[in-house]
């Protein structure tokens, strides 16, 4: 009935060249369009049409799910802003001990330079002009050599024994234990309180006195915060909590960069006062306030604590997730989307190092700073790490690609890797955002384009050989059709087949 041999014998080599060339051109155009659509919208056009239009149309459940996320539309894409690490260590008592043990510098010059800028901003003012001790301290913060910094601090104290900022530098860098640092800071606190009360009375006598009072306020708050951190490190948790709570009631501008509520959360977690932690989160985990890894992952830990001890991935896959388990998983997804680098450190898939003095939110530096202090809290909650291990990677299936798009938060910044490289020492391997694989249709179209282009080239170079191969392939592919047709013709009467053909 079908005489394909006659048709194939009439085809010339030019036809095969034209056919393969046209196929290559069409598949190339499809590949270009698919790649453009993927770069612009983060997904394959063919895949989107299949899932959102063809499949619902076939199943009879067509609806439009393109609903904008209000949290995404309300949030502006932030720059890679560097923040001061709320839980930064003491250089003399902690960072220096690491250097003695490993002969590796735990802090980069970029990180220390940022700290020097912070100290100059907090601890100096226009009223210091002409005061030898404060002029010495202005230059001391910028010194790279630690011995020169310490020498400058002692020199300032010789000129004025009531120079509180000199005591701060000595507590941070000269003290080799937390106990010594606490002793020096208590001495500085007495001086800072006297200076604060004196400048408070004189602050309305001009702009210089107002600036001096602002500086004295910053010094007092900084010393109290570091004393509270000493108390926490020395195991005096109730004392530390009281000091942190008192500090959170302060409202000077310096409070905007210290993030003392994160110190409070960490101390309460150490005490396993989970109800108090939840109360702090209720105050600070608000859509209008900036997020952090501490906020997001602590919320995930508290949700996981309710279900983690009884969670089993095998059972959950059979019966599905309960409402409490679903809430815990969703909170973990939220935390992982905010900072995707934390789970690898919590699950000990990557080695920890000492955290830097400054962090980049959503970056590797923040992940290190969070995990360094909070890993013990996750280990304390039975099953929490197991729940995290089973669910955290599912976050990336929910996120669109490329990285310029987000789901619950503003898009993940693409500049974090460069900034983290400046903040973290060279011996640390930077954690990067997990890369998604290209959609199947992008790979399929690229392969089809390459294959047809190769066929076009071969057909142009060897038209007779490729024509013979094409005929052989068509004949080979038609054999099953001929076989089925012959069987069908033997079973069905000829008259019936002719009637069907007429119809």
């Amino acid at each position: 009935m079908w005489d394909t041999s006659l048709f194939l014998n009439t085809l010339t080599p030019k036809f095969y060249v034209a056919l393969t060339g046209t196929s290559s051109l069409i598949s190339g155009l499809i590949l270009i369009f698919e790649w453009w659509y993927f770069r612009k919208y983060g997904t394959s056009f063919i895949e989107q049409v299949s899932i959102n239009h063809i499949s619902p149309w076939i199943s009879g459940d067509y609806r439009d799910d393109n609903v904008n996320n209000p949290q995404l539309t309300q949030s502006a894409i932030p720059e890679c802003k560097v923040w001061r690490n709320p839980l930064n260590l003491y250089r003399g008592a902690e960072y220096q001990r690491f250097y003695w043990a490993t002969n590796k510098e735990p802090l980069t010059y970029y990180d220390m330079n940022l700290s020097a800028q912070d100290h100059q901003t907090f601890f100096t003012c226009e009223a210091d002009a002409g005061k030898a001790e404060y002029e010495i301290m202005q230059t001391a913060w910028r010194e790279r050599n630690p011995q020169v910094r310490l020498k400058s601090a002692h020199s300032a104290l010789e000129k004025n024994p009531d120079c509180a900022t000199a005591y701060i530098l000595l507590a941070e860098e000269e003290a080799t234990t937390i106990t010594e640092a606490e002793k020096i800071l208590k001495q500085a606190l007495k001086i800072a309180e006297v200076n604060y009360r004196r400048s408070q009375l004189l602050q309305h006598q001009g702009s210089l006195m107002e600036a001096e009072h602002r500086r004295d306020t910053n010094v007092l708050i900084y010393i109290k915060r570091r004393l509270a951190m000493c108390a926490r490190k020395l195991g005096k948790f109730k004392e530390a909590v009281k000091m942190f709570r008192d500090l959170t009631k302060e409202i000077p501008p310096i409070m905007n960069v210290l993030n003392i509520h994160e110190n409070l959360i960490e101390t309460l977690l150490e005490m396993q006062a989970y109800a108090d932690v939840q109360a702090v989160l209720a105050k600070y985990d608000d859509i209008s306030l900036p997020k952090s890894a501490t906020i997001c992952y602590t919320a995930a830990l508290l949700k996981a604590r309710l279900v983690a001890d009884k969670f089993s991935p095998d059972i959950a896959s059979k019966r599905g997730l309960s409402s409490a388990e679903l809430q815990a998983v969703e909170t973990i997804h939220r935390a992982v989307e905010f900072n995707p680098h934390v789970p690898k450190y919590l699950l000990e898939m990557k080695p920890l190092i000492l955290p830097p003095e400054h962090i980049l939110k959503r970056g590797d530096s923040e992940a290190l700073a969070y995990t360094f202090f909070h890993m013990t809290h996750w280990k304390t909650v039975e099953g929490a790490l197991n729940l995290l291990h089973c669910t955290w990677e599912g976050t990336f299936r929910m996120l669109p690609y490329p990285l310029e798009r987000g789901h619950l938060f503003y898009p993940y910044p693409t500049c974090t890797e460069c900034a983290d490289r400046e903040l973290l020492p060279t011996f640390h391997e930077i954690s990067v955002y997990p890369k998604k694989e290209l959609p199947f249709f992008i790979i399929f179209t690229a392969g089809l384009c390459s294959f047809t282009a190769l066929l076009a080239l071969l057909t142009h170079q060897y038209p007779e050989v490729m024509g013979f191969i094409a005929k052989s392939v068509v004949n080979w592919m038609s054999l099953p059709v001929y076989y089925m047709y012959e069987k069908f013709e033997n079973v069905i009467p000829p008259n019936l087949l002719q009637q069907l053909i007429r119809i």
Side-chain angles (χ1 to χ4, degrees), residues 393-463:
E393 290 181 309
T395 306
F396 306 110
R397 291 193 291 271
M398 300 165 51
L399 298 179
Y401 188 86
L403 307 184
E404 287 77 11
R405 307 189 67 200
H407 179 60
L408 297 173
F409 291 99
Y410 46 81
Y412 184 83
T414 56
C415 57
T416 56
E417 186 175 349
C418 295
D420 280 330
R421 184 72 280 167
E422 296 290 330
L423 289 172
L424 297 171
T426 55
F427 58 82
H428 172 69
E429 181 183 353
I430 298 294
S431 179
V432 297
Y433 193 94
K435 298 295 189 298
K436 270 191 174 181
E437 295 182 357
L438 289 175
F440 166 75
F441 284 106
I442 294 285
I443 301 173
F444 175 76
T445 309
L448 180 62
C449 177
S450 302
F451 179 70
T452 53
L454 179 63
L455 284 180
L457 178 63
L458 292 175
T459 306
H460 182 266
Q461 293 292 328
Y462 312 103

Side-chain angles (χ1 to χ4, degrees), residues 35 213 254:
W35 182 253
H213 177 64
I254 191 176

